[in-house]
Amino acid sequence: MEKSQDALVLLRQIIRATDLHDKHLSRMTGLTMPQLMTMQTLRINGPLTIGMLAKEMNLAQATVTSILDRLERKNLVRRERSNTDKRKVLACPTEQGQELLKSAPTTLQDTFIRQFDDMHDWEQSMIVAALEHVSHILGAHHIDAAPMLDIGALDRTSDNHMPEYLKPTHPPFKN
Amino acid sequence: MEKSQDALVLLRQIIRATDLHDKHLSRMTGLTMPQLMTMQTLRINGPLTIGMLAKEMNLAQATVTSILDRLERKNLVRRERSNTDKRKVLACPTEQGQELLKSAPTTLQDTFIRQFDDMHDWEQSMIVAALEHVSHILGAHHIDAAPMLDIGALDRTSDNHMPEYLKPTHPPFKN
DNA sequence: ATCCATTGCTTTGCATTGCAAAGCATTAAC
DNA sequence: GTTAATGCTTTGCAATGCAAAGCAATGGAT
């Protein structure tokens, strides 16, 4: 019955490895982890309202506001109002922000994918099946997750279509 | 070649599930996550010097000092000096601290173990093998990890023998 | 014995996270 | 048109997290 212990240790190792890698990435980019997480979330989901961002990241709106303040000061993100609902504010990555994400090595999943693709087909299937099992055991199968190991990107949305009602119009604003 | 994507999503789900569970635990116990992590680390490794604690948790010593200040204020941890090397300070869980850890539900790995043990032997082996593979891919196989999913407890040390040279002597101290 | 570098922890100062509550503007409802 | 709900910001506060400076104890060196 100690095989379960082995499995737990392995899981913990895996989780920890991603954690350490996140911290590494954070140092590389000069951003804090929540800041990086914000950028990644935007990168995956495209421009989002502050409320959406908060929900995606499981943070309070006020928290996201202050994180965005700092990202905006670094010219990595721009705030734009929706033209149809002027209460909403969109967070959009700037050129510079997109550059940073591109230049920032996301080596962890790259490494994973490279090695994974080198494996035999049956090995790949075995791993996916096993992970599915574990995910199910932990009740995680319902959790929305992007295919990103670095920093918690949370929602899969490959089609980055921005709804009409969110289209930005005017330049940033002051309060 | 999209099986790697599936695997990544599953991994992310798993990681996220433990993260959410940690936050839940944190609310239940009334402790912040770093505080809980500290308590768990102490629970697993037994009394540790502040420096060791910091290393285990990958934090700066100064950070751990301030966390311990708050845990001590809550009477969950006691500081004691080593008698042989008076520079060293040991963090020891108090009665109350041990109570809290016992009453705090660690349901995540419990759930895991229960369901895992219900599985067929070949399924168990398959999962362990798959996890081993993943761990190796991520370069995580060298990472010291305790069999704990909740909060990053890091080093396995079931025998909580405290070395002579660390035995506490005098009551807490003031600075 | 005495000086010196090292070790171990704390203090200080600062930036960031995180939240709740209050505030403000816009929108929706009636 | 008044009222309620929504969306974001501001304010105030506690907790992380770190580096740098500080202090005491240790372990060598000579």
Side-chain angles (χ1 to χ4, degrees):
Chain A
M1 283 313 156
E2 63 184 16
K3 232 181 281 179
S4 58
Q5 296 295 307
D6 293 344
L8 281 174
V9 168
L10 287 168
L11 266 180
R12 188 86 210 121
Q13 279 182 359
I14 292 169
I15 291 168
R16 190 154 177 69
T18 66
D19 188 54
L20 291 178
H21 187 260
D22 283 349
K23 284 195 180 170
H24 176 70
L25 242 187
S26 160
R27 280 167 220 269
M28 290 298 98
T29 57
L31 296 183
T32 65
M33 281 184 49
Q35 288 169 5
L36 241 184
M37 182 172 170
T38 302
M39 294 302 294
Q40 288 274 22
T41 304
L42 286 181
R43 171 193 159 86
I44 303 225
N45 302 52
L48 286 177
T49 65
I50 275 71
M52 281 310 206
L53 252 182
K55 200 166 293 180
E56 289 290 330
M57 301 199 290
N58 275 301
L59 293 178
Q61 230 171 29
T63 304
V64 175
T65 290
S66 73
I67 293 176
L68 282 182
D69 287 344
R70 262 151 261 151
L71 286 177
E72 208 172 18
R73 214 187 317 130
K74 296 182 188 183
N75 274 323
L76 298 174
V77 150
R78 213 176 42 241
R79 277 194 243 233
E80 304 188 356
R81 299 217 95 120
S82 162
N83 53 355
T84 59
D85 186 341
K86 282 168 191 152
R87 291 170 302 179
K88 295 182 179 175
V89 175
L90 281 179
C92 312
T94 62
E95 274 296 323
Q96 206 175 329
Q98 297 182 2
E99 290 266 336
L100 178 137
L101 283 179
K102 246 172 241 162
S103 65
T106 10
T107 33
L108 197 51
Q109 63 254 40
D110 289 348
T111 301
F112 181 87
I113 290 175
R114 200 174 332 113
Q115 303 218 30
F116 188 89
D117 284 345
D118 276 352
M119 292 163 58
H120 296 298
D121 202 54
W122 64 269
E123 279 179 311
Q124 296 184 357
S125 302
M126 189 187 89
I127 287 184
V128 170
L131 290 179
E132 236 150 24
H133 225 130
V134 172
S135 169
H136 210 272
I137 284 181
L138 296 182
H141 52 287
H142 59 81
I143 293 178
D144 234 0
M148 300 245 98
L149 284 184
D150 317 275
I151 303 290
L154 309 175
D155 195 42
R156 115 175 293 156
T157 306
S158 17
D159 62 330
N160 271 346
H161 172 57
M162 179 161 35
E164 272 309 317
Y165 64 88
L166 281 184
K167 282 273 183 62
T169 52
H170 303 307
F173 62 98
K174 274 277 176 282
N175 219 358
Chain B
M1 283 314 157
E2 63 184 15
K3 232 181 281 178
S4 57
Q5 296 296 306
D6 293 344
L8 281 174
V9 169
L10 287 168
L11 266 181
R12 190 82 211 123
Q13 278 182 359
I14 292 168
I15 291 168
R16 188 152 177 69
T18 66
D19 187 56
L20 291 178
H21 187 260
D22 282 349
K23 285 195 179 170
H24 175 70
L25 243 187
S26 160
R27 280 168 221 270
M28 289 300 97
T29 57
L31 297 183
T32 65
M33 280 184 49
Q35 288 169 4
L36 239 184
M37 182 172 171
T38 302
M39 294 302 294
Q40 288 274 20
T41 304
L42 286 181
R43 171 194 160 86
I44 302 225
N45 302 52
L48 285 177
T49 66
I50 276 72
M52 281 311 206
L53 252 182
K55 200 167 292 180
E56 289 292 329
M57 301 199 290
N58 275 300
L59 293 177
Q61 229 171 29
T63 304
V64 174
T65 289
S66 75
I67 293 175
L68 281 182
D69 287 344
R70 274 166 298 253
L71 286 177
E72 207 172 20
R73 213 182 324 127
K74 296 182 187 182
N75 274 322
L76 298 174
V77 151
R78 214 178 40 241
R79 278 194 241 234
E80 304 188 357
R81 300 217 95 121
S82 163
N83 52 357
T84 60
D85 186 342
K86 283 169 190 151
R87 292 170 301 178
K88 294 182 180 174
V89 174
L90 281 180
C92 312
T94 62
E95 275 297 323
Q96 205 174 331
Q98 296 182 1
E99 290 266 338
L100 178 138
L101 283 179
K102 246 171 241 164
S103 65
T106 9
T107 33
L108 196 52
Q109 61 256 39
D110 290 349
T111 301
F112 181 86
I113 291 175
R114 202 175 329 114
Q115 303 218 30
F116 188 89
D117 284 344
D118 275 353
M119 291 164 57
H120 297 298
D121 202 55
W122 63 270
E123 278 180 311
Q124 296 183 357
S125 302
M126 188 187 90
I127 287 183
V128 170
L131 289 180
E132 236 150 26
H133 224 132
V134 171
S135 168
H136 210 273
I137 284 182
L138 296 182
H141 51 286
H142 58 80
I143 293 178
D144 229 2
M148 300 244 98
L149 286 183
D150 317 275
I151 304 287
L154 309 173
D155 195 45
R156 114 179 294 161
T157 305
S158 20
D159 63 331
N160 272 345
H161 173 56
M162 179 160 34
E164 272 310 315
Y165 62 89
L166 281 184
K167 281 274 184 61
T169 53
H170 303 307
F173 63 99
K174 273 278 173 285
N175 220 358

